[in-house]
Amino acid sequence: MKKLFAFLFTAALLSAPVFAQTFVEGKHYEVIAEQATSKPEFKEYFSFFCGGCASIEPLVQQLSENLPEGAQFKKVHVDFVRGASPEVQNTLARAYLVADALEKGNAFSTAVFNHIHRQRQQIRNDNDVRSIALGVGISAEDYDSRINSFSVRMGATVMRNEQNELSRSRVLTGVPTFVVNGKYKINNASLDNRNFAAELEQLVDYLLQKTG
């Protein structure tokens, strides 16, 4: 009987998620809403003109590709980081939505970050955005037919409304900002820089599974 109990206990440990770090509310994350989203989600608020966002993009993409089954990843572009006109920033948000719908969101994001932060080139107008999109394999036909569509414009409006709402409540004070399940905001500064990637992944997993 003791052997059977020991076996079952070991099996339970192996099947349960293991978090090397003990995460504490108020230190590693904040509760920003009473209700969580109906489905688990990991969301990043970012700007293409943010150097920190550019640096962390490879890690964000890796996390987004390794989320637990059923969890969604969403990016929300904000326009309060200076770098281009409000019109161009809106076009970038819409172009990302087009690329994401065509399963080229990561490629487009990487290309825009490289254009701005590595190649040190400006994005001056809508044609510059279009050229980047076509450069990652989006056809001119797909881009032109979608960029001004109702669904894409509405998606960009939703992004802007989320930005404004969270900014008013002082939840969104800079980027990158990570929110899990619409309820938990991650405190990036609480994570160890020497082990940032691993701790962020563990914290995201922990919050995706948190029920209270």
Side-chain angles (χ1 to χ4, degrees):
M1 186 67 179
K2 290 183 179 180
K3 290 183 179 180
L4 176 60
F5 177 79
F7 172 78
L8 294 174
F9 180 74
T10 302
L13 287 178
L14 291 174
S15 61
V18 177
F19 300 105
Q21 172 69 279
T22 300
F23 298 114
V24 179
E25 179 184 335
K27 178 182 179 182
H28 298 100
Y29 64 94
E30 302 171 24
V31 177
I32 62 171
E34 292 185 6
Q35 296 293 327
T37 51
S38 58
K39 295 181 180 180
E41 68 172 34
F42 171 47
K43 183 176 288 187
E44 179 197 22
Y45 295 86
F46 79 106
S47 168
F48 285 120
F49 299 96
C50 159
C53 300
S55 298
I56 206 171
E57 179 67 10
L59 171 59
V60 172
Q61 291 190 15
Q62 180 181 338
L63 282 175
S64 70
E65 293 170 354
N66 294 311
L67 291 177
E69 185 176 356
Q72 293 182 319
F73 172 67
K74 298 179 180 179
K75 289 174 82 77
V76 176
H77 188 264
V78 304
D79 62 8
F80 54 70
V81 178
R82 294 182 180 179
S85 67
E87 293 78 14
V88 169
Q89 298 223 32
N90 179 265
T91 301
L92 279 167
R94 287 185 287 121
Y96 170 76
L97 291 171
V98 170
D100 189 52
L102 296 170
E103 299 186 350
K104 292 185 180 293
N106 285 347
F108 178 77
S109 295
T110 298
V112 176
F113 280 128
N114 287 343
H115 184 94
I116 297 171
H117 300 281
R118 290 190 177 182
Q119 300 166 15
R120 302 293 180 181
Q121 297 186 41
Q122 293 183 343
I123 297 181
R124 296 158 295 189
N125 51 50
D126 289 359
N127 285 334
D128 288 344
V129 180
R130 184 178 185 273
S131 294
I132 295 172
L134 270 56
V136 299
I138 298 174
S139 72
E141 180 181 1
D142 277 337
Y143 185 86
D144 294 339
S145 66
R146 292 169 182 255
I147 191 66
N148 290 312
S149 67
F150 175 80
S151 61
V152 168
R153 285 190 173 277
M154 182 58 67
T157 298
V158 170
M159 285 185 176
R160 182 66 186 273
N161 290 344
E162 281 191 38
Q163 168 192 320
N164 291 341
E165 181 180 351
L166 293 183
S167 293
R168 282 194 297 267
S169 62
R170 303 298 297 168
V171 169
L172 184 60
T173 57
V175 285
T177 290
F178 302 109
V179 175
V180 179
N181 292 350
K183 185 174 181 177
Y184 308 108
K185 174 187 172 181
I186 290 176
N187 179 9
N188 300 338
S190 71
L191 304 180
D192 187 345
N193 285 334
R194 297 166 298 180
N195 197 33
F196 185 87
E199 287 195 6
L200 179 60
E201 183 175 8
Q202 290 177 3
L203 180 51
V204 170
D205 285 345
Y206 170 78
L207 294 175
L208 284 171
Q209 300 175 51
K210 187 172 174 60
T211 57

